Amino acid sequence: DGGITQSPKYLFRKEGQNVTLSCEQNLNHDAMYWYRQDPGQGLRLIYYSQIVNDFQKGDIAEGYSVSREKKESFPLTVTSAQKNPTAFYLCASSIPTGTGKVGYTFGSGTRLTVV
Amino acid sequence: RKEVEQDPGPFNVPEGATVAFNCTYSNSASQSFFWYRQDCRKEPKLLMSVYSSGNEDGRFTAQLNRASQYISLLIRDSKLSDSATYLCVVTISGNTGKLIFGQGTTLQVKP
């Protein structure tokens, strides 16, 4: 079955460390996204990519980095510059926006905690 | 002002009740509208799209008022399994498919 896989499900990081969250999809979607969710809040966009080897900053990109070397993969690195990284991170992919439709699929999320 | 605003609740209702949530959006270029459901510590899942003419899916009815820039979700005959957070979501015309989320409204259905 097609879908999005995020790993790990839970991640603990010491202050000052960089960590990378994995996101892989086999839906053949061109666009991929990373969102962050804090308790009692909606999702906020960190980075997005519409095509391989291209990505753009979202609303809260500071302290994060991404790469899109393959269509299937869009890893997110949370760097030590991110001052408050504890949150629930969600990866999503969507069908090409040129179709006039927005069909999103979300991964099951990674819960990152700084210890 | 937030781009998409919702009353966070929680809304506590008895089984069988009818409950309505509203959501307002600030960008008049908003193009597509959705309600997502999110269970505790899970990813959001699409509940339904919202069309200008209004649309119904079983016990759920969604309405869009473009003039007043608000969206509503009506749940009839609430079930215990409806307990969740409901997220109002919009996309902006020409905005590359990014979803803009409200903070969500929490519903608790009690026996």
Side-chain angles (χ1 to χ4, degrees), chain A residues 2 5-6 15 21 25-26 39 43 57 71 79 83 85 90 94 96 98-100 102 107 109 115:
Chain A
T5 302
Q6 286 188 244
E15 284 194 40
L21 282 57
Q25 54 103 354
N26 60 3
L43 280 66
K57 293 181 179 180
K71 188 175 186 177
T79 74
K83 297 305 177 191
L90 285 154
S94 73
T99 65
V102 179
V115 296

Side-chain angles (χ1 to χ4, degrees), chain B residues 57-82:
Chain B
D57 182 2
R59 297 180 294 108
F60 298 84
T61 300
Q63 297 276 355
L64 168 63
N65 185 320
R66 285 189 183 270
S68 301
Q69 296 185 189
Y70 81 78
I71 308 152
S72 65
L73 177 67
L74 182 78
I75 306 175
R76 290 182 299 278
D77 188 22
S78 301
K79 311 292 185 192
L80 295 176
S81 58
D82 294 334

Side-chain angles (χ1 to χ4, degrees), chain A residues 19 27 29 36 42 50-51 53 65 67 69 74 79 87 105 108:
Chain A
V19 289
L27 299 163
H29 285 173
R36 167 184 172 139
Q50 292 185 277
I51 197 168
N53 292 321
S65 66
S67 62
E69 295 176 3
F74 191 39
T79 74
T105 300
S108 58

Side-chain angles (χ1 to χ4, degrees), chain A residues 64-75:
Chain A
Y64 299 98
S65 66
V66 292
S67 62
R68 187 84 187 276
E69 295 176 3
K70 299 186 299 182
K71 188 175 186 177
E72 301 79 19
S73 179
F74 191 39

Side-chain angles (χ1 to χ4, degrees), chain A residues 9-10 33 35 37 40-45 48 50 57 59 88 90 94 97 102 104 106-109 111, chain B residues 2-3 8 32 34 36 38 40-46 87 91 95-104:
Chain A
K9 192 172 178 67
Y10 298 97
Y33 309 81
Y35 289 89
Q37 187 175 33
Q41 302 293 320
L43 280 66
R44 293 182 291 166
L45 183 65
Y48 65 101
Q50 292 185 277
K57 293 181 179 180
D59 300 317
F88 187 40
L90 285 154
S94 73
T97 56
V102 179
Y104 260 60
F106 280 92
S108 58
R111 199 163 294 276
Chain B
K2 293 180 183 176
E3 289 192 82
S32 302
F34 309 91
Y36 274 72
Q38 187 174 25
C40 187
R41 305 177 83 83
K42 301 279 191 180
E43 73 275 21
K45 294 187 177 176
L46 180 64
L87 299 164
T91 66
N95 214 14
T96 66
K98 293 183 290 181
L99 297 182
I100 301 171
F101 288 80
Q103 70 179 98

Side-chain angles (χ1 to χ4, degrees), chain B residues 14-32:
Chain B
E15 268 188 293
T18 295
V19 60
F21 307 138
N22 288 330
C23 161
T24 58
Y25 60 93
S26 61
N27 193 326
S28 58
S30 296
Q31 183 179 44
S32 302

